[in-house]
Amino acid sequence: MPNHIFKLIIVALTKYEECLAFNSLKNMYIKILSFTRWVVSALCMLTIFSANISAQTISLNGKWRFKIDANDEGVQAKWYSSALPETINLPGSMAENFKGDDITLKTKWTGSIYDSSYFFHPRLEKYRKPGNLKIPFWLTPHKHYTGAAWYQKDIEIPANWKGQRTVLSLEYPHSETRVWIDDVEIGTQFTFVIAQKFELPANLKPGKHTITLRIDNRIKAINVGQDSHSLTDHTQGNWNGVVGKMFLQAGSTVYFEDIQVYPDLKRKSARVKIELKGAANASSTGKITLSAKTFNTKSSLQVKSLTVPYEIKNGIGTVEIDLPMGDKIATWDEFNPALYRLTAVLSAKDGKKDEKQVQFGMREFKAVGRSFEINGRPVFLRGTVNNCEFPLTGYPAMDVAAWERIFKISKAHGLNHMRFHSWCPPEAAFIAADLTGFYLQPEGPSWANHGSSIGEGKPIDQFIYDETNRMTKSYGNYASFCMMAYGNEPRGKQVEYLTKFNNYWKAKDSRRLYTGASVGGSWPVIPNNEFMVRAGARGLDWGKRPESFSTYAKQIEQFTVPFVAHEMGQYCVFPNFEEMKKYTGVYRAKNFEMFQEDLADHDMADQAKDFLMASGKLQALCYKNEIEKALRTPNYNGFQLLSLNDYPGQGTALVGVLDAFWDEKGYITAKEFKRFSNSTVPLLKVPKFVYTNNENLDASVEVAHFGKAPLTNAKISWQIKSASGVVLSKGSFDQKALPIANCIPIGDIHFALNAIQEATQLSLEVSIDGTEFANDWNFWVYPAVLPKPKTNFYYTENFDEQAKKILDEGGNVFLNAAGKVVKGKEVVQTFLPVFWNTSWFKMRPPHTLGILCDPKNPALANFPTAGHSDMQWWEIVNKAQTMNLEDFPSGFRPIIQPIDTWFLNRRLALVLEAKVGKGKLIVSSANLSPDLKDSPAAQQLYFSLQQYMSSENFNPKYEVAFNTIKDLFESPSKIQFDTFTKDSPDELKPKPKTN
């Protein structure tokens, strides 16, 4: 083992033992974080040692002196000249070190709030009290601080560094950094996207010195927008500190400033552009040797080395070299992410040396007509939006392993693409994406809206160019860096500004594609986008009967470049309160605590897990149908889900099938999700999912295939099963070659339903033999004619005196209350769940998350169902009223229960039963009656309830007063929603006539 590695391990073990000696939980937490970060950084330092042979490095990890400068007095008072009084561990944030201000109602958050009911509504008063402060908008950090803070550390410059170029490197300070060495200020940098590097004075003497940092995380003249994910409290948090690698490095005064590699697959070569630097006004000559080889392929490919001369004049030099890659080249894509490591060695005639290594892939990502191509092969982007959610730290993961985990989880769900919403990830993300085979769209660190704008002469206009130039210089060689945008949904003179932005980048760097901004459907079209990331062609039109024939073709026909759906999905699920125990880092899920307590206050604490699972199944159904609709649309080229994992801010947007930690929630696995979101997906086209037994199930099969090569002689099979697994019919199609495309027709399936005599659920599966590719769909078949049961109840559509008389006499009543409900009238229910969340969108409907029921309930004995919404429920639930059971007895549970938004947690009912007087009552706010037409599922549900009411099983558990039932149709809900805020998100604002 090399001696320096051995020493690092010994020091790491020593630090671990120190951690064990602490009794204080707070100190233990800080020490363990420090130890963990130290080990990760130590490993990173090993990489630095191996990649920069000619450089010498001193780690700056560990204890620093510290002081908050809330009054901006430190510069004038020359704090850099004296020892700061406190201590802090770096890398890390102030919040991790329990530094900053306590959280109060007056905390000045960085982010928009459109629902201010938390601050004013009497119902939420107890969550505003000191000691029980629970904020619903986002996660709550230990501490919060925006402003200047000072960090200070003594260093020892070795004697053998004399005459070398010495650089202070801080991988990720947040965000504006001023640096002093002793009493000398050496510079200020402000960036959200790359490491900040400061060159120390050339005349710095060996020995002891003091580095002082002043870091300021306020929004000042350059305003990227308070909701930008580069700084907002909605996601990572507006933290103050330094994370990632921190070190001093000494090296040659003649050095590689930049190396950019431009692959040329057609010529089997790479154009290498090199920028050289030396001391100001200095000259230097010598030679540069380039070599390259693959490092992650089964067999290594070695590129023949090439040596060329160089010359530096006045401290600057440039060299361009065409490097032949050999007759056999390894290309990079999602299936085979082959990578090369280029080594450049500079040897000056005066003996100076420098070495730099660059990771790159031989790939070409292009737009050809309306399609994307990777290395000449069509590609469909199956993506998710990354919003910088890191709930343990409050800042992005800085190590490759953490990012590999994220990309591998995404791949396990069938995805191949990730957009970084208004932020750029650290270098570790690009390294991991290169290794995993993932196509990335990083963005400039801006959502120039909600207090900011572009194209109006503000400092942000130039800052966007500066930041994107920094991104491409630092990360441009990574094969995964395939696309780029300014950022998200701007305000201002955006067409003019973004058109120029696109032109600038298309002329400067052809290694990736450019789009002005990722936007909603109401934003103006930027005419020279190389691809579109837009809304408009997304969503499910489930105001109509669900089917799987429709496409988004009409919505995208105007575009002549590839189209990618912006922020697809956003289907909500109920909170998973078991997730709260995971928040062991800098954040606490006080929002979840508040939602959980409020659920208990509404007498439904025991239903939380059931709500999660039932709403999760509906969410998964929605994602499946939307993704399949995209895959069957001609000239549709991709989607970006919002998102595969939850978004903890903007009111708490629980839109992921994964939680904020990228863990499954329990209602759908990666393998199940991948069946409808994969490189190859069988698709089924049907006009509906609910049938009667006098019909045929007629379906058309097609395939979307975007694998690494066409499939030859593909055999596609199908089978129809009953709910118990009995195969009712099966077949296969003639073998067929599948090109790389979607909308590949396979054949038709015809299945007569007349043998089915009772209500039945079917499953139809289509698979490609000998592969993992398979997909399935549920169908329901009901008798076209139901027997006329003998009824012993009074059917009514009004809760009138006759109903009261029958109940008082011990009779049974079925009340069809559709359209009559007052208490709960404000609740809007559709078949779709809540979009994003009801807080951010100010209670924009729908307000519910599907339904919950017990499949074993005898009331549903003749209505096959799971415990959650599925396609057969559409005609029953969609636009049906709900009843608010706020005055019903404790513990009361309806037969069919709509799940309310977690911001209000109203106890709702669609169908309920109760003992009233001496009689028994069923009330339905869904339209269930003897006269239903063209609604076979609703007709079957009514039949099942009739059978139940006529059976001995009809024995409601709870007694409810007649007037309590009657009040459902007379009095409004006691608690009504009020946002207490006039401002609103862009989607709710009137659209301007011009841009």
Side-chain angles (χ1 to χ4, degrees), residues 539-540 542 569-574 611-612 614-623 626 654-655 667 828-838 841 844-851 869 874 877-878 899-902:
L540 293 168
W542 280 356
Q570 305 186 50
Y571 303 111
C572 279
V573 66
F574 199 78
F611 287 170
L612 166 68
S615 62
K617 290 294 186 180
L618 175 60
Q619 179 198 56
L621 181 70
C622 293
Y623 277 120
E626 189 170 13
L654 305 176
V655 293
Y667 50 80
V828 178
Q829 175 179 237
T830 72
F831 190 61
L832 290 168
V834 168
F835 178 87
W836 194 238
N837 68 81
T838 53
F841 283 117
R844 182 175 72 174
H847 302 145
T848 58
L849 299 157
I851 60 102
S869 300
W874 174 83
V877 169
N878 189 49
I899 304 167
D900 195 22
T901 168
W902 58 89

Side-chain angles (χ1 to χ4, degrees), residues 383-387 389 418-419 421 567 640-643 645:
T384 185
V385 179
N386 188 298
N387 302 292
E389 310 95 335
M418 188 171 288
R419 172 204 167 203
H421 181 308
E567 299 180 355
Q640 296 168 348
L641 301 177
L642 186 59
S643 53
N645 64 323

Side-chain angles (χ1 to χ4, degrees), residues 746-785:
I746 302 300
D748 296 328
I749 297 171
H750 304 286
F751 178 60
L753 302 173
N754 55 5
I756 297 173
Q757 297 301 308
E758 61 183 23
T760 302
Q761 178 181 324
L762 304 177
S763 174
L764 195 163
E765 181 183 70
V766 177
S767 58
I768 302 177
D769 293 3
T771 74
E772 67 171 327
F773 308 124
N775 202 358
D776 61 282
W777 300 264
N778 290 334
F779 295 87
W780 288 264
V781 182
Y782 300 113
V785 179

Side-chain angles (χ1 to χ4, degrees), residues 180-191:
W180 287 261
I181 183 77
D182 301 325
D183 292 343
V184 179
E185 185 172 359
I186 61 173
T188 300
Q189 293 188 28
F190 175 49
T191 177

